[in-house]
Amino acid sequence: MKINENFMKTSTLYDTIQALGAEAIQWFAKLLIIIGAIISCLAMFGYFGALCHTRILLYIYSIALSLTIIFEFVGIIAMLSFHNNLWEFYDAGFTKIFQGAYRNNQTKTIEIMSKLEREFHCCGVNSIGDYIKSDYRIPLSCYPNQVPQEKPFNQGCAEAIVIWIWNELPLITGIFGTILLIEIFVVVASLVLGVAIAHSANTEIYYKL
């Protein structure tokens, strides 16, 4: 999400007016990075707890990882909720950018929009009609080979971008779900190990007595 070219293009465009759509994508990417860093730090508690047979460290690890799992579930639910509003965010944001760019002759924004039209094979916000209704010149980026004699793209860029983003999310969600299953297994394993260490210590004391 942070380095993919298409994600960067959409984010650059929406950062022009700080649209919610791009902020949500970047927020989720940062969230994944933060969670990864936290889990890496937490792993040290589990590692030393198991290595030194220290129940306290194992229990701290289990509790902290359980809280992380809950936090991740909240993140997944938030992303699923975001999906329902994804179209509204991008349609409204794209319309505002489109109108402002051509009305104020913002060449940088127009250039970014042209790149998106070429990349996603789309034209305007909802269709080529956005240019016609506003009496703007239809850019070459609206045509497959940038030749005006050809038939322009039918799909609007707002719809094309939303579909592309949502097609990318299942892979991310699948990886996220796999990590969650591993984390749940690790929580259970660390608790079982903690109980085993306690049982082993009690047995040792019993035999000494």
Side-chain angles (χ1 to χ4, degrees):
M1 284 185 171
K2 296 297 292 182
I3 65 173
N4 183 280
E5 185 177 355
N6 286 336
F7 270 120
M8 292 301 293
K9 285 177 182 176
T10 55
S11 296
T12 302
L13 176 64
Y14 279 83
D15 282 345
T16 308
I17 60 166
Q18 296 181 337
L20 185 56
E23 288 181 357
I25 292 175
Q26 292 299 316
W27 173 83
F28 187 63
K30 292 173 183 177
L31 176 66
L32 292 178
I33 294 172
I34 292 171
I35 289 175
I38 292 173
I39 293 174
S40 298
C41 295
L42 287 178
M44 299 304 295
F45 284 94
Y47 173 75
F48 285 110
L51 184 67
C52 303
H53 292 188
T54 307
R55 286 184 299 155
I56 299 298
L57 291 179
L58 286 171
Y59 292 152
I60 291 175
Y61 175 63
S62 299
I63 293 171
L65 192 56
S66 297
L67 293 175
T68 304
I69 291 172
I70 294 172
F71 186 63
E72 289 171 351
F73 270 118
V74 172
I76 291 177
I77 293 172
M79 282 304 299
L80 293 175
S81 175
F82 172 66
H83 165 252
N84 297 328
N85 300 320
L86 188 61
W87 168 254
E88 295 179 12
F89 290 151
Y90 271 88
D91 185 47
F94 214 151
T95 300
K96 186 175 180 179
I97 293 172
F98 178 86
Q99 294 174 348
Y102 281 94
R103 187 183 302 118
N104 303 317
N105 194 27
Q106 299 171 348
T107 55
K108 182 179 178 180
T109 304
I110 293 174
E111 182 181 348
I112 295 172
M113 290 182 62
S114 297
K115 289 180 181 179
L116 288 174
E117 288 174 331
R118 288 193 295 268
E119 187 69 32
F120 290 97
H121 298 166
C122 57
C123 185
V125 180
N126 298 303
S127 68
I128 194 173
D130 294 320
Y131 289 102
I132 298 174
K133 286 185 296 185
S134 301
D135 199 27
Y136 298 139
R137 185 177 64 86
I138 300 172
L140 295 177
S141 54
C142 279
Y143 300 94
N145 296 308
Q146 300 187 42
V147 179
Q149 287 74 22
E150 295 181 337
K151 185 178 179 180
F153 299 122
N154 293 323
Q155 191 177 38
C157 288
E159 181 182 2
I161 292 173
V162 168
I163 291 174
W164 177 79
I165 291 174
W166 193 242
N167 287 338
E168 294 295 315
L169 288 181
L171 175 62
I172 298 171
T173 306
I175 295 172
F176 214 29
T178 303
I179 293 173
L180 277 172
L181 290 175
I182 295 173
E183 289 173 348
I184 292 171
F185 171 78
V186 170
V187 168
V188 174
S190 60
L191 290 174
V192 170
L193 182 57
V195 172
I197 291 173
H199 180 72
S200 176
N202 291 334
T203 303
E204 185 177 342
I205 292 173
Y206 173 78
Y207 280 116
K208 285 181 179 181
L209 291 174

